[in-house]
Amino acid sequence: MSNKEDLKQEILKAYHFRHATKEFDANKIISDDDFRFILETGRLSPSSFGFEPWRFVVVQSAELREKIKNSSWGAFSKLPDASHFVIILARTKLDTMYNSDYLQDHLRNVTHFPEEHLATFLERVEEFQRDDFKLLDGARHIFDWACKQTYIALGNMMTAAAQIGIDSCPIEGFNIEKMNQLLADEGLLEDGHFGISVMVAFGYRTNDPRPKTRRPFDDVVKWVE
């Protein structure tokens, strides 16, 4: 096989390997280098307009893990033994609205957007948020838009982990209001600039999963020519 075909097979192998791991081996710990690699794939992920409306909170504190475990039915069986646990936060409207200080700083100091085009670009962002996606109709709309971006990073991190033989499990099993209150009490939401989007556990499986099942290719892929 060509190098490209070999690479394609390796990537598909990782997708077959990845599954929502329910039980982790508490005796196996992901190396610092490997976990930084996983986080880097999240950091380098694409986002709408390149705004990067996320933060990855790596929770290794036993005390905080216990609080989260008791507040999240989805994390209850995974948190005690997972090597690493990440809470993915999304930025709220305080940072993601077209006229926010965060976007001004991000465009000027991170992406180095040309100053002479900045006002015009932000007008286009306003049009997108107000008219195209109707994101300004309520706080939940624009927050959900930010959460959509975090799922791109989530998928990339889980796939990257699988490619180096590390297991993961995405977790939505929690009450949003209760988890946000817990995280606010811990000082992690920066006075309303962040809210919880999703969580994910990483580690090494204790049991092999059953073979992966998916709907047929032709059922989920439609070509329009």
Side-chain angles (χ1 to χ4, degrees):
M1 285 193 295
S2 68
N3 289 337
K4 182 171 75 170
E5 290 303 314
D6 288 341
L7 180 59
K8 285 160 61 177
Q9 290 305 312
E10 284 298 312
I11 293 172
L12 286 176
K13 182 179 177 181
Y15 274 86
H16 282 283
F17 171 86
R18 192 217 60 78
H19 73 289
T21 304
K22 299 299 188 291
E23 296 181 7
F24 293 95
D25 187 338
N27 297 313
K28 293 184 178 180
I29 304 300
I30 302 169
S31 72
D32 291 343
D33 182 69
D34 282 351
F35 202 69
R36 185 176 180 87
F37 160 75
I38 292 169
L39 291 169
E40 185 69 351
T41 66
R43 189 181 73 90
L44 294 175
S45 295
S47 58
S48 187
F49 292 100
F51 288 164
E52 303 174 48
W54 48 53
R55 176 162 292 169
F56 312 128
V57 180
V58 184
V59 181
Q60 299 304 83
S61 160
E63 180 182 358
L64 182 52
R65 280 191 173 208
E66 186 68 14
K67 292 179 182 179
I68 294 169
K69 185 189 79 169
N70 293 327
S71 300
S72 167
W73 54 267
F76 189 85
S77 64
K78 305 167 188 73
L79 248 180
D81 298 327
S83 170
H84 289 68
F85 192 82
V86 180
I87 299 172
I88 302 182
L89 305 179
R91 291 186 180 272
T92 67
K93 67 176 184 178
L94 296 178
D95 290 345
T96 52
M97 283 188 64
Y98 64 91
N99 57 355
S100 70
D101 291 341
Y102 169 79
L103 291 189
Q104 294 273 349
D105 174 74
H106 184 76
L107 291 168
R108 285 192 171 97
N109 300 315
V110 177
T111 66
H112 305 293
F113 201 90
E115 188 69 33
E116 62 271 22
H117 300 306
L118 185 59
T120 301
F121 177 70
L122 288 175
E123 287 176 3
R124 179 66 189 92
V125 173
E126 179 184 6
E127 181 183 354
F128 166 81
Q129 292 184 344
R130 186 183 307 281
D131 301 326
D132 296 342
F133 269 45
K134 309 295 184 185
L135 299 178
L136 305 184
D137 290 351
R140 184 61 187 263
H141 292 77
I142 198 164
F143 180 70
D144 284 346
W145 174 64
C147 288
K148 287 180 182 180
Q149 319 309 313
T150 72
Y151 275 68
I152 300 172
L154 170 68
N156 285 344
M157 287 192 286
M158 291 192 299
T159 300
Q163 288 181 294
I164 59 174
I166 292 172
D167 292 296
S168 62
C169 185
I171 298 167
E172 289 185 321
F174 54 86
N175 179 285
I176 291 177
E177 291 182 0
K178 290 181 180 178
M179 283 299 302
N180 273 332
Q181 186 59 59
L182 188 159
L183 297 174
D185 291 343
E186 295 291 324
L188 295 171
L189 301 187
E190 295 192 3
D191 296 324
H193 285 264
F194 287 96
I196 189 168
S197 174
V198 66
M199 305 187 291
V200 56
F202 292 94
Y204 296 94
R205 67 188 67 178
T206 57
N207 302 303
D208 288 331
R210 62 184 177 85
K212 191 180 292 294
T213 58
R214 289 292 188 272
R215 299 189 68 85
F217 185 90
D218 290 337
D219 188 40
V220 298
V221 177
K222 297 298 178 184
W223 296 82
V224 181
E225 298 181 353

